[in-house]
Amino acid sequence: MSSLMAAGSVFFPGLFVLSKQTLKRVMGWSEGDAAIVSARLVSSIQAVMASSVGCVIITSCRDVIEDRHWLTDSYILFATPYFAYDIYAMFLCYWHKQQVKGHEEKEGGVRSVGAAVWGYLRQELFMVLHHVFMVAFCCPASLLWRQGKGDYFQGVLFLAELSTPSVSLGKVLIQYKKQHTLLHKVNGVLMLLTFFSCRVLLFPYLYYAYGRYASIPVYKVPLVAPWQCNLGAALLWPLQLYWFTLICRGALRLLTRHSNSPPDTFKADSEGSLSNGITALQPNRH
């Protein structure tokens, strides 16, 4: 148990440092650019790993309650440190972005770390709370409170990470002002589809799947489901709906400006459209 968490505590930060140093030396990138892209890369790799584990678990569990798979608890232990690491990685991205924009708040010529932390928390409050909730509540709930049952449902939850690579790619494309490219448009469509199917529809599907297993109507499932499941869904699902709304608003503004503006104006304005939705997300994005 402790060895898996220790492995995750080394793997994700180590992968971030390795990627950042490689981009700096091979590509000649600055510290800030290398850190931002490396953070997105690590998020995407974690998402691919989680989604792959989820697929294996789902296809292996015929009984959605009783069947077990060894990867379930193992990956939860391994991936839990990722959420703590990612809070720090997101702060580094925020720090470098503010330096580039020239928004440094200085005290005696040195940037105030307290001001940077406060600004980061104000901008990424929901994401930080989401990550803290994953570590403080979802990890013990998945490992202890469910008492070895429902591996199938845990595998379905892992699939929420399928939307993270497209969200991360969207952030990188916006950062480098590539939002007028075909890749950005295709990625935007993919992001909408994966986020809606893997995050918005995720929790209704969980209740539907249990209702079908127990042969009860969906509206009765919350009455018989463990309170931890209902609490987790009540706190996490509204966040997914909120983030999806931001993505849809950004996409709508992007399409509207594209149809009503000349090409030069569209290129200048599009950064402020999808970015309003994408920059509110992390990747995962669970």
Side-chain angles (χ1 to χ4, degrees):
M1 180 174 179
S2 59
S3 60
L4 286 171
M5 294 195 74
S9 300
V10 173
F11 177 77
F12 295 110
L15 183 61
F16 171 77
V17 172
L18 177 62
S19 173
K20 185 180 67 172
Q21 294 302 321
T22 301
L23 290 174
K24 288 171 60 179
R25 293 182 180 180
V26 176
M27 304 296 294
W29 289 8
S30 67
E31 177 77 17
D33 287 344
I36 291 172
V37 173
S38 295
R40 309 304 180 208
L41 177 62
V42 174
S43 295
S44 298
I45 291 175
Q46 194 282 139
V48 172
M49 294 172 62
S51 301
S52 301
V53 168
C55 289
V56 172
I57 295 172
I58 290 171
T59 55
S60 301
C61 295
R62 296 184 178 180
D63 188 305
V64 300
I65 298 298
E66 300 297 336
D67 284 358
R68 302 217 61 190
H69 196 285
W70 66 270
L71 274 175
T72 307
D73 289 354
S74 297
Y75 192 76
I76 291 172
L77 289 167
F78 178 76
T80 295
Y82 163 80
F83 294 98
Y85 141 80
D86 198 47
I87 293 176
Y88 177 69
M90 287 192 300
F91 173 72
L92 283 182
C93 293
Y94 173 83
W95 177 287
H96 289 299
K97 285 180 180 178
Q98 295 306 303
Q99 289 181 325
V100 170
K101 292 178 181 178
H103 291 169
E104 302 93 339
E105 297 181 31
K106 299 183 178 180
E107 293 181 358
V110 180
R111 178 172 172 78
S112 170
V113 176
V117 171
W118 176 245
Y120 163 67
L121 291 176
R122 284 188 301 174
Q123 179 173 310
E124 301 286 356
L125 179 61
F126 285 143
M127 192 59 61
V128 172
L129 290 177
H130 172 270
H131 281 33
V132 170
F133 182 76
M134 293 295 292
V135 175
F137 179 84
C138 292
C139 178
S142 299
L143 293 174
L144 303 175
W145 297 337
R146 66 188 183 94
Q147 298 179 342
K149 297 184 181 294
D151 281 21
Y152 173 86
F153 294 107
Q154 190 64 53
V156 173
L157 287 170
F158 286 148
L159 293 184
E161 296 293 340
L162 274 172
S163 63
T164 299
S166 58
V167 171
S168 296
L169 178 58
K171 289 183 177 181
V172 172
L173 291 174
I174 287 175
Q175 176 188 344
Y176 291 100
K177 296 180 172 57
K178 299 296 183 180
Q179 56 269 44
H180 59 282
T181 62
L182 178 60
L183 176 59
H184 178 70
K185 296 173 184 177
V186 172
N187 183 71
V189 173
L190 182 62
M191 179 176 61
L192 283 169
L193 293 176
T194 55
F195 200 93
F196 179 73
S197 58
C198 298
R199 289 183 180 265
V200 175
L201 294 182
L202 174 69
F203 294 97
Y205 172 76
L206 293 175
Y207 281 85
Y208 163 77
Y210 185 82
R212 184 178 59 180
Y213 170 82
S215 300
I216 60 176
V218 175
Y219 68 86
K220 289 186 178 180
V221 173
L223 302 178
V224 299
W227 67 268
Q228 296 93 341
C229 298
N230 290 328
L231 178 61
L235 293 176
L236 291 176
W237 195 40
L239 279 177
Q240 314 309 320
L241 294 174
Y242 169 71
W243 288 326
F244 184 69
T245 300
L246 292 181
I247 295 176
C248 290
R249 287 178 179 176
L252 181 61
R253 282 194 293 269
L254 183 63
L255 293 175
T256 302
R257 292 176 180 179
H258 180 46
S259 60
N260 296 334
S261 304
D264 291 342
T265 304
F266 167 67
K267 290 181 181 180
D269 289 348
S270 57
E271 182 176 1
S273 54
L274 264 183
S275 60
N276 289 335
I278 296 177
T279 53
L281 303 172
Q282 170 58 32
N284 241 140
R285 70 78 100 319
H286 309 308

